Amino acid sequence: QKEVEQDPGPLSVPEGAIVSLNCTYSNSAFQYFMWYRQYSRKGPELLMYTYSSGNKEDGRFTAQVDKSSKYISLFIRDSQPSDSATYLCAPGSNQAGTALIFGKGTTLSVSS
Amino acid sequence: NAGVTQTPKFQVLKTGQSMTLQCAQDMNHEYMSWYRQDPGMGLRLIHYSVGAGITDQGEVPNGYNVSRSTTEDFPLRLLSAAPSQTSVYFCASSYHDRGGYGYTFGSGTRLTVV
């Protein structure tokens, strides 16, 4: 089993839809859970960051972590064409000497 | 502007040639990493460094070398380029005590090996 599993999509939705993006992970040592957004031909940028289990909301975006099932989600409300991008999940730990491992990314297209 | 600078942005190599992808950061980050991104494969870790003089292998290290003589620079060397190394390469840097929170990526190098 890979450390981080993410459905690559692609996912196409109309403007205004609610989008749900999901990842599963295998390492119970992960404590930090990040979502990165990557526009075409650009480097990834940090979108959301949560620590341990629970929800975190930032505008139209909500990140949700369930450590008991090793499942992380990103919800986008009122999706906009500008949300069209690839979304990568990345769980991390405080363990010294490790680097971040990413999911394969889900490509989202929001049509107007 | 502060951040991670990668050069070159584009490169075409012939099979068997060698080259170095440059990465520099001016944020005094301890951690630096190299990833390659291929369609359907996501970002895969090649090599990483947790400080000057310390490097380690990631998921796909074969065919690549790294060194970290300064905090700012983390070059990636392709020893003998192969078509399988055609990819987009991203360098990233981070503070250690933030786990993955503080990762900053460069804009990438698009490499084609013919």
Side-chain angles (χ1 to χ4, degrees), chain B residues 73-114:
Chain B
D73 301 297
F74 190 43
L76 178 72
R77 297 181 187 85
L78 278 69
L79 308 174
S80 177
S84 61
Q85 293 179 304
T86 294
S87 187
V88 182
Y89 292 85
F90 288 101
C91 178
S93 72
S94 171
Y95 284 112
H96 167 220
D97 60 5
R98 295 185 184 185
Y101 171 73
Y103 268 59
T104 301
F105 282 84
S107 56
T109 295
R110 292 184 173 273
L111 175 69
T112 301
V113 182
V114 297

Side-chain angles (χ1 to χ4, degrees), chain A residues 15-88:
Chain A
E15 183 175 356
I18 297 174
V19 176
S20 173
L21 306 170
N22 308 295
C23 278
T24 59
Y25 63 94
S26 59
N27 189 345
S28 58
F30 290 142
Q31 301 169 295
Y32 302 87
F33 302 91
M34 279 71 64
W35 284 95
Y36 282 78
R37 180 173 60 193
Q38 184 179 23
Y39 290 113
S40 181
R41 296 184 170 268
K42 301 288 187 182
E45 295 177 314
L46 182 67
L47 177 64
M48 296 280 291
Y49 155 74
T50 55
Y51 176 73
S52 194
S53 285
N55 293 358
K56 183 174 183 178
E57 189 173 319
D58 183 1
R60 297 183 294 107
F61 297 88
T62 299
Q64 191 173 79
V65 177
D66 182 349
K67 290 187 70 178
S68 63
S69 58
K70 299 187 177 68
Y71 195 83
I72 55 180
S73 302
L74 178 70
F75 298 96
I76 307 174
R77 293 186 303 279
D78 187 25
S79 56
Q80 302 295 309
S82 59
D83 296 328
S84 298
T86 297
Y87 292 81
L88 301 115

